Amino acid sequence: MKMNQFIKLALRLIFSLGLVASVGGVRAQETQTLKAISVSSHSGAEVVRFDFSETVNFRLNGFGIQSPARVALDLPVVGSALQKNVVEFTQGNVKSVNVIQASDRTRMVLNLKRYQAYSTQVVGKSVLVTFEPVVANATTSAAVSSAFAESRNDDVLPLKDIDFRRGTDSAGRVVVSLPNNQTGVDLKVQGQGLVVEFQKSSLPEGLRRRIDVSDFGTPVQLITSTQVGDRVRVLIEPKGDWEHSAYQSDDQFVVEVRLKKVDTSKLLQGPVYSGEKLSLNFQSIDVRSLLQVIADFTNFNIVTSDTVSGNLTLRLKDVPWDQALQIIMDSKGLGMRKAGNVLWIAPRDELDARTKKDLEALQAIERLEPLRTQSFQLNYARAADMVVQLRGTAVGAGAVGGVTRFLSERGSVIAEPRTNQLFVTDTAKKLNEVQELLSKLDIPVRQVLIEARIVEASDTFGRSLGVRLGGSDLRGVRGGDAGYSIGNGNRVAIGGSYDAVSSTTTESSNVMTTTNTSFVNLPAAGQGGYSASSFALSIFNSAANRFLNLEISALEADGKGKVVSSPRVITADQTKALIEQGTEFPYQQATSSGATSVAFRKANLKLEVTPQITPEGNIILELDINKDSKGETTAQGIAINTKHIKTQVLVENGGTVVIGGIFELTESDSEAKVPVLGDIPVMGNLFKTKSKSVNKQEMLVFITPKMVSDRATNR
């Protein structure tokens, strides 16, 4: 019995120790407790404050997504003293905050109405998440930007890989392997595509490509990777009605593009409303009372104008409150102004009249505001050119004074060319605008080196074959002389012509010339400025009074040539440059008085180019290239052989493109023969001459533009 009691006591002790250890382990992990979440606004920035029970000494890891707009923060496991895991807010950009606990971390998800760049800060026992105020201007309205992280790399590092995968629900996933987790990434929607830029990164040659992924059945069609300065730009081109999300995990960045899910129950696919849903069902309710109902629901302060009146019958079910408010205002012709958490609702005409009065009051104050004079030192731009920009140019009667000007009506500007300064007299507001404008215009202009290669190649081939056939009989002339009687046989002599046999017959050349008869005279034509080689055969009898002369001439010529011209010139962006070299040939021309004068005609190698650097880092070239040479001489003067190309082309930085070429091929075959005799098989070749020529001329023009870096320019 005692033994059983001892065992039970030991088991109780072991169980209690284990329980204490487990509880102690939980407490060791949950050393922090989340006590409260609040939202406030400071200088236009919205701040979300997380208060903990003890001093915060852990590191925050977070990421953001744009659609839906969310920011997620991961921190070690902490306890929660909140009554619920979802904290909702009715004001500002933050809609709600979800607190989710997992086995190894606690995630806080901030649901936003629209995505904003954010920053985190630890202050004692609190964590502050600050959302930067959104500044609307012409540049940000065209592209929505989302910065995931600023680059912390000191050197430019190469990307490891760019891959594409097909995700669930036919979503396209672009996966980029980063050099490390310190690489800065910028994501923006530009036009119909997505542009992702990786800061302080380089793109290996194997990754500089354009990938066609249209066969995967996702919204993504093309992925183009390029190098722009010290950044790598990846352009994702989807199709259809799509939405995207992006996240970065350690050294891997993922962009997922999916088709939007369209609700077919909606009559119109209009703007997206994010307010909390409500249901309204009223018959002939006063509009002012209906606005008060929405004010009570949203906790917004609504100020209604005295001119708002009338009744409205309305039935809405599960409609966002901001959409319901818009429907009410549209049905009654009302407009809204928002200042903080106060809404002023009035007829649109009244709002427009108030806006007009406010603007007229601002203009009146501006006319009475004292003028100031400020000098601006220009470094790169010319002061005279900036005066034209500030004063404006004539655009018609629609503008004030017939001109569009940057300064106010009382403003003036003068230029001092010697010191390259501007002296501007205007109001303080306009002077600040001039300072901002000059900071964008007075910048160094990028330069471009353009190199052209003009290659001219020629290939000529010629072949000629001909015969000369003749005979003579001297018996009629020397029949009674010794040696001209019929002998015992015929003898054959080989020589260059009939006259070469005269030494063997003791005949004088003039006698042989007068008695020789050439009845086939079709020798080979010369090729390449050279005469044809010949082979002669003379057959005569033993008395040397009958001769048969055969002379065969043949020539074959083959020639190749190449001329390479390489003009190069450096110029500033969007500035025309010209370089030429050649000769001027004189010629005579008639004047108005009837006399003649000497004029000159150029035969030049000329390169005229105007470069334009695009924002993507490519170069647009307007080219005008001439390659002239001396032609034949005529009675009126020297002719000029011209080759001219004028075009516009887009080339990547450092790339080479063939902008044009001329190819000429001339072939000719000729044959001359004695009628009838020249048609005899085999033997007919003794009564004909043949010639063949082939002439090939080819010209190619290569262009290579290169942007000159600032470092190379400063040397």
Side-chain angles (χ1 to χ4, degrees):
M1 190 71 179
K2 293 181 179 180
M3 182 61 68
N4 293 334
Q5 293 178 353
F6 177 76
I7 294 174
K8 292 180 180 180
L9 181 62
L11 292 175
R12 289 178 181 177
L13 181 60
I14 294 173
F15 177 76
S16 61
L17 290 176
L19 181 61
V20 171
S22 62
V23 173
V26 172
R27 290 180 178 177
Q29 291 180 348
E30 297 183 355
T31 57
Q32 293 278 22
T33 302
L34 179 62
K35 299 176 61 178
I37 303 176
S38 60
V39 177
S40 60
S41 179
H42 298 284
S43 301
E46 192 170 357
V47 180
V48 182
R49 184 186 185 99
F50 298 90
D51 296 326
F52 295 88
S53 59
E54 298 180 8
T55 302
V56 177
N57 55 4
F58 49 79
R59 180 179 177 183
L60 288 175
N61 295 320
F63 63 91
I65 57 177
Q66 188 170 345
S67 180
R70 292 176 182 173
V71 172
L73 301 175
D74 290 339
L75 56 153
V77 176
V78 298
S80 177
L82 303 177
Q83 296 181 356
K84 53 184 179 180
N85 294 332
V86 180
V87 180
E88 298 181 349
F89 302 97
T90 58
Q91 301 177 8
N93 189 34
V94 180
K95 296 190 297 184
S96 61
V97 178
N98 295 10
V99 180
I100 305 171
Q101 291 186 344
S103 59
D104 57 346
R105 67 181 184 274
T106 298
R107 171 167 291 184
M108 295 182 292
V109 180
L110 286 73
N111 300 307
L112 310 177
K113 296 178 182 178
R114 62 181 181 276
Y115 188 84
Q116 291 179 252
Y118 70 95
S119 61
T120 59
Q121 183 181 5
V122 177
V123 181
K125 297 182 180 181
S126 302
V127 174
L128 305 180
V129 181
T130 304
F131 292 93
E132 301 176 358
V134 177
V135 180
N137 50 38
T139 56
T140 57
S141 62
V144 180
S145 177
S146 173
F148 280 79
E150 294 292 333
S151 178
R152 299 180 182 177
N153 295 327
D154 295 331
D155 299 326
V156 177
L157 303 177
L159 297 181
K160 297 179 181 178
D161 191 17
I162 300 177
D163 195 8
F164 176 82
R165 301 172 187 172
R166 189 177 189 272
T168 57
D169 297 333
S170 300
R173 303 180 67 212
V174 180
V175 183
V176 181
S177 298
L178 307 177
N180 51 42
N181 57 4
Q182 305 297 325
T183 304
V185 182
D186 289 337
L187 174 66
K188 57 186 176 181
V189 179
Q190 184 172 339
Q192 299 297 325
L194 282 172
V195 176
V196 187
E197 291 187 350
F198 301 93
Q199 304 172 1
K200 286 191 176 297
S201 301
S202 63
L203 191 63
E205 289 293 337
L207 299 181
R208 297 188 182 185
R209 56 193 177 185
R210 183 181 178 92
I211 308 175
D212 187 351
V213 294
S214 56
D215 294 335
F216 285 82
T218 68
V220 182
Q221 301 297 302
L222 295 172
I223 304 172
T224 306
S225 306
T226 56
Q227 182 78 45
V228 182
D230 61 346
R231 294 186 172 203
V232 174
R233 174 172 295 179
V234 178
L235 174 61
I236 304 173
E237 299 180 51
K239 72 171 183 178
D241 193 9
W242 51 272
E243 59 184 5
H244 76 280
S245 61
Y247 62 91
Q248 180 177 344
S249 177
D250 198 13
D251 61 345
Q252 191 176 72
F253 182 80
V254 180
V255 180
E256 184 168 320
V257 182
R258 68 187 71 85
L259 290 174
K260 283 186 178 180
K261 296 182 179 180
V262 180
D263 189 358
T264 57
S265 62
K266 292 184 180 180
L267 296 178
L268 296 175
Q269 303 297 330
V272 178
Y273 297 96
S274 57
E276 188 175 353
K277 295 182 179 181
L278 54 79
S279 297
L280 301 174
N281 190 353
F282 296 103
Q283 295 288 334
S284 300
I285 185 174
D286 183 65
V287 175
R288 302 173 65 90
S289 301
L290 186 57
L291 294 176
Q292 185 62 39
V293 171
I294 295 180
D296 296 337
F297 180 80
T298 61
N299 293 327
F300 265 89
N301 299 316
I302 296 181
V303 179
T304 307
S305 175
D306 295 337
T307 55
V308 176
S309 61
N311 297 332
L312 184 65
T313 299
L314 189 67
R315 180 180 180 182
L316 302 175
K317 184 177 181 180
D318 294 335
V319 176
W321 71 265
D322 48 354
Q323 184 180 6
L325 180 60
Q326 187 66 42
I327 293 173
I328 296 172
M329 292 190 300
D330 291 343
S331 62
K332 290 299 181 179
L334 304 177
M336 178 183 64
R337 276 190 181 181
K338 182 179 179 182
N341 62 342
V342 179
L343 300 179
W344 177 36
I345 298 178
R348 293 174 183 171
D349 296 339
E350 183 178 341
L351 292 176
D352 295 341
R354 177 62 61 87
T355 302
K356 182 179 179 181
K357 290 182 179 180
D358 294 342
L359 294 177
E360 290 176 349
L362 291 177
Q363 290 181 355
I365 294 174
E366 186 177 354
R367 294 190 187 99
L368 300 175
E369 187 177 354
L371 300 180
R372 293 170 47 195
T373 300
Q374 184 175 347
S375 63
F376 299 93
Q377 179 66 55
L378 302 181
N379 298 320
Y380 303 99
R382 292 194 303 176
D385 296 339
M386 292 298 101
V387 169
V388 177
Q389 299 291 336
L390 295 177
R391 288 178 178 172
T393 56
V395 296
V400 179
V403 297
T404 298
R405 51 188 295 153
F406 188 81
L407 303 177
S408 64
E409 296 180 0
R410 298 187 296 159
S412 62
V413 56
I414 61 174
E416 207 292 306
R418 187 175 61 86
T419 59
N420 200 33
Q421 292 188 81
L422 285 178
F423 294 90
V424 183
T425 301
D426 213 324
T427 61
K429 179 182 177 182
K430 280 295 181 180
L431 290 178
N432 293 332
E433 294 178 358
V434 170
Q435 177 69 45
E436 184 179 356
L437 176 65
L438 293 179
S439 64
K440 296 179 180 179
L441 297 180
D442 187 26
I443 58 176
V445 180
R446 291 178 291 182
Q447 297 183 353
V448 182
L449 173 66
I450 301 100
E451 181 179 359
R453 288 186 178 271
I454 305 173
V455 181
E456 295 177 283
S458 62
D459 187 357
T460 60
F461 174 78
R463 177 184 295 167
S464 180
L465 179 64
V467 298
R468 295 177 65 184
L469 182 62
S472 63
D473 190 350
L474 300 183
R475 290 181 297 176
V477 180
R478 306 291 299 276
D481 296 341
Y484 287 92
S485 58
I486 299 176
N488 298 326
N490 293 331
R491 293 177 292 173
V492 178
I494 299 176
S497 66
Y498 177 80
D499 293 337
V501 193
S502 61
S503 60
T504 62
T505 60
T506 66
E507 298 294 335
S508 61
S509 59
N510 58 351
V511 175
M512 302 302 295
T513 303
T514 57
T515 58
N516 185 21
T517 302
S518 177
F519 57 90
V520 177
N521 188 14
L522 299 173
Q527 299 287 342
Y530 296 94
S531 301
S533 300
S534 61
F535 174 81
L537 177 67
S538 296
I539 303 176
F540 55 91
N541 60 356
S542 58
N545 51 19
R546 294 179 180 177
F547 289 86
L548 179 62
N549 304 321
L550 175 63
E551 180 180 329
I552 300 176
S553 56
L555 181 64
E556 182 175 308
D558 191 0
K560 298 181 184 295
K562 182 173 69 174
V563 178
V564 179
S565 305
S566 181
R568 63 176 65 184
V569 65
I570 186 171
T571 183
D573 184 21
Q574 301 189 28
T575 302
K576 181 183 292 186
L578 173 65
I579 184 173
E580 62 179 349
Q581 177 188 10
T583 306
E584 293 188 356
F585 296 100
Y587 66 96
Q588 291 185 349
Q589 65 178 3
T591 62
S592 58
S593 62
T596 59
S597 63
V598 178
F600 292 89
R601 183 178 302 165
K602 291 183 178 181
N604 288 348
L605 168 64
K606 184 185 74 171
L607 170 62
E608 183 178 320
V609 59
T610 303
Q612 177 184 348
I613 302 175
T614 65
E616 293 82 6
N618 298 327
I619 302 174
I620 299 175
L621 299 175
E622 290 188 5
L623 295 163
D624 191 353
I625 300 175
N626 276 81
K627 180 63 172 69
D628 300 338
S629 60
K630 179 182 178 182
E632 62 182 6
T633 302
T634 64
Q636 288 74 23
I638 299 175
I640 304 299
N641 298 327
T642 63
K643 295 177 181 178
H644 184 203
I645 293 179
K646 186 175 182 180
T647 184
Q648 185 183 75
V649 64
L650 175 64
V651 192
E652 65 178 2
N653 181 28
T656 300
V657 63
V658 181
I659 65 171
I662 300 174
F663 178 78
E664 297 181 24
L665 174 61
T666 304
E667 294 186 65
S668 64
D669 287 297
S670 61
E671 180 179 285
K673 62 183 178 180
V674 177
V676 181
L677 297 178
D679 297 329
I680 300 175
V682 183
M683 293 298 297
N685 294 324
L686 297 177
F687 302 95
K688 66 176 65 174
T689 179
K690 296 181 180 179
S691 63
K692 177 181 181 181
S693 64
V694 179
N695 188 7
K696 298 179 183 178
Q697 299 285 338
E698 186 174 9
M699 185 189 75
L700 295 175
V701 180
F702 301 85
I703 293 294
T704 303
K706 297 179 183 178
M707 281 191 293
V708 181
S709 62
D710 297 336
R711 182 181 303 176
T713 306
N714 296 332
R715 290 180 180 177

